[in-house]
Amino acid sequence: MKKLLLAGVALAAMTAVSYAADTYVVGMKGPGAGNPFWAAVEKGAKDKGAELGVDVVVVAPPAESDVQAQITQIEDLIAQKVSGIALAPTDPNALAPVVDAAKAAGIPVVFVDTKGVNEGVTFIGTDNAVGAALAADFMCKNLPQGSEVAILQGLISQSTGQARAEGSKKGLEACGLKVVAEQTAEWDRAKGQSVMENILTGNPNIKGVFASNDNMALGAVEALKAAAKLQDVMVVGFDANPDAAASILAGEMTASIAQAPGNIGGFGVQALVDLKAGKTIEPVIDTGTVLVTKDNAEQYK
């Protein structure tokens, strides 16, 4: 049976195991533990592996900001001569040389979740600019024109972070809302709370927050609770993970943008198997976005 390796849990697991040459790799940016989004990507990949009759093993760098750890992982996989890599790059520019090295070694590569900078490599994931615009449109329809709003950014070195920050700002400003703060919280819940506390200090009249992922949005909720301002401020996230869905149903977060992380993992697995079989795949495969509010949040718990 062919093996499919899904890179997504810990660097230690990577260095402790040697894999056979006939192995496919999907390299996630971070571990599923503690992040429902990556857990769902992992499940989607494993489910697809079971459907296709291939084994799925999960490893990853210890954190989404640990770029060097991911580079080392991919270098090790190239040395092991794996059969294919579907990669969610922590830093597309920094990972570009190892992606080129993989291709030069005859290893097929696709990008999942986050688009890379290497030409001719298929991207499988969310149209983040469209999703961010969907969030901005919701905020525009539910806040008075001229209201002060803030954006909690992810890692701007990643195309995902860039697209969500730029797409949301463009949409918010187009309808007359005033973006008074844009700060990164690096996709992290605790940092989201800390950054939101700082934003509130300088902008006490803020009426809305777009957070580029749900972890940061949930952190913002905690900051707003502590400041007794949650009832006055709309919080919109991105991912619609189970924690966010529960928060929306509890009347804390207002909305989120659902991705299809199971599709990201599953389509990545399918793409590797198809490429190995000599099939042609599309240059961009959109896995979809949906606005999640109290009306449909129950589906995402």
Side-chain angles (χ1 to χ4, degrees):
M1 177 182 290
K2 293 181 179 179
K3 284 189 176 181
L4 180 75
L5 173 66
L6 176 67
V9 173
L11 183 60
M14 184 75 214
T15 57
V17 180
S18 179
Y19 299 102
D22 197 12
T23 300
Y24 300 85
V25 181
V26 178
M28 300 200 311
K29 289 187 294 189
N35 189 322
F37 175 80
W38 289 117
V41 172
E42 176 181 334
K43 183 179 185 301
K46 286 186 174 181
D47 287 349
K48 180 59 69 171
E51 176 188 328
L52 297 177
V54 295
D55 292 335
V56 175
V57 180
V58 181
V59 294
E64 292 193 32
S65 58
D66 198 339
V67 179
Q68 187 55 53
Q70 189 178 47
I71 290 172
T72 300
Q73 283 188 329
I74 303 305
E75 289 174 341
D76 289 346
L77 291 165
I78 293 170
Q80 293 179 46
K81 300 180 180 179
V82 297
S83 294
I85 300 172
L87 175 67
T90 51
D91 184 326
N93 289 306
L95 268 293
V98 289
V99 171
D100 284 339
K103 293 171 64 181
I107 299 173
V109 180
V110 297
F111 291 117
V112 293
D113 178 68
T114 297
K115 188 175 182 179
V117 297
N118 307 75
E119 291 187 8
V121 180
T122 287
F123 168 61
I124 300 168
T126 304
D127 188 326
N128 288 291
V130 168
L134 188 60
D137 181 64
F138 175 80
M139 293 176 71
C140 287
K141 289 177 178 176
N142 290 278
L143 290 173
Q145 190 170 14
S147 296
E148 295 182 1
V149 296
I151 298 171
L152 296 185
Q153 303 169 332
L155 291 168
I156 301 302
S157 61
Q158 299 172 355
S159 61
T160 300
Q162 293 169 4
R164 293 182 191 177
E166 292 169 3
S168 60
K169 184 177 183 180
K170 181 178 179 181
L172 293 169
E173 291 185 336
C175 74
L177 297 180
K178 184 179 180 182
V179 178
V180 296
E182 301 170 81
Q183 295 185 35
T184 181
E186 300 181 354
W187 308 120
D188 184 77
R189 184 166 181 166
K191 291 179 182 177
Q193 181 173 349
S194 177
V195 170
M196 191 69 234
E197 289 169 352
N198 292 336
I199 290 174
L200 286 172
T201 298
N203 304 276
N205 297 318
I206 200 165
K207 296 299 181 186
V209 179
F210 169 69
S212 294
N213 81 343
D214 286 335
N215 284 350
M216 297 186 296
L218 291 164
V221 165
E222 293 305 312
L224 289 163
K225 280 183 182 179
K229 288 182 174 290
L230 183 58
Q231 297 307 312
D232 302 320
V233 182
M234 170 184 295
V235 179
V236 179
F238 203 117
D239 287 342
N241 70 39
D243 290 344
S247 180
I248 291 169
L249 290 169
E252 297 178 342
M253 280 180 61
T254 312
S256 185
I257 302 301
Q259 301 190 76
N263 285 350
I264 292 173
F267 290 6
V269 170
Q270 184 70 64
L272 291 181
V273 173
D274 287 347
L275 286 172
K276 185 65 175 179
K279 297 180 181 179
T280 299
I281 61 175
E282 294 295 323
V284 176
I285 301 173
D286 183 4
T287 51
T289 51
V290 176
L291 176 68
V292 177
T293 64
K294 272 191 173 181
D295 293 338
N296 59 346
E298 190 68 38
Q299 302 173 30
Y300 295 88
K301 287 179 62 180

